[in-house]
Amino acid sequence: MGLISLSTTKKKETSGITSMIKWNKLTSPEQIESVIEESNSHPVLIFKHSTSCSISAASLDRIERKWDESEMKDWKPYYLDLLANRSTSHAVANELGIEHQSPQAIVLFQGKPVYDASHFSISYDAIKSATKDVVL
């Protein structure tokens, strides 16, 4: 399983593809309201990851390998370590009205969840296009 550097840009080379994700840590239930508010100005991705789960690691890897900063430059991605921050994960589920899953990708836009997927249903292409059909 790979290691994640959360405080800096992650550079990873896999099969000739370089992925760069500027992960932001989501570690406190108190952050959730500001993350939701932030989604009013740009899309937000929350990736809930279990560091002890191989499916979670594979889902995270699929996103990181495909992430294209030029396509996602307006997005703000958050990484939530479920094992270290269980209360935050439950608070996300309660605040957004979305059943907790692990792994789970949630896209927030204009203060609301517009995409929610778990396990191998998590798709970079679906995440990327999640805000395209949102009526302003």
Side-chain angles (χ1 to χ4, degrees):
M1 309 218 191
L3 298 174
I4 299 175
S5 171
L6 298 176
S7 60
T8 61
T9 300
K10 176 178 171 100
K11 293 182 183 180
K12 182 168 100 176
E13 179 122 353
T14 307
S15 305
I17 301 169
T18 300
S19 173
M20 296 174 64
I21 299 182
K22 297 173 184 165
W23 287 113
N24 299 276
K25 293 180 185 181
L26 183 54
T27 59
S28 164
E30 292 75 30
Q31 288 177 268
I32 297 168
E33 196 59 44
S34 64
V35 169
I36 293 169
E37 182 64 31
E38 193 174 15
S39 77
N40 285 311
S41 59
H42 53 263
V44 170
L45 168 65
I46 299 173
F47 188 85
K48 295 167 63 174
H49 177 55
S50 172
T51 55
S52 66
C53 175
S54 61
I55 293 172
S56 191
S59 296
L60 178 62
D61 183 62
R62 287 173 52 202
I63 292 172
E64 289 182 329
R65 282 187 292 118
K66 291 192 93 178
W67 191 270
D68 181 340
E69 187 61 28
S70 67
E71 293 178 330
M72 306 299 274
K73 66 182 182 289
D74 295 330
W75 286 66
K76 186 152 184 189
Y78 283 89
Y79 172 92
L80 173 54
D81 179 335
L82 296 174
L83 299 181
N85 303 289
R86 288 185 191 277
S87 64
T88 304
S89 177
H90 292 299
V92 167
N94 291 336
E95 184 72 29
L96 298 176
I98 295 175
E99 182 181 349
H100 165 75
Q101 297 287 323
S102 172
Q104 187 173 33
I106 301 168
V107 173
L108 303 177
F109 189 56
Q110 298 190 342
K112 297 185 176 9
V114 295
Y115 172 85
D116 165 34
S118 66
H119 298 83
F120 288 119
S121 295
I122 297 170
S123 159
Y124 170 78
D125 292 329
I127 289 169
K128 181 176 70 173
S129 63
T131 61
K132 289 193 182 345
D133 295 327
V134 176
V135 177
L136 300 177

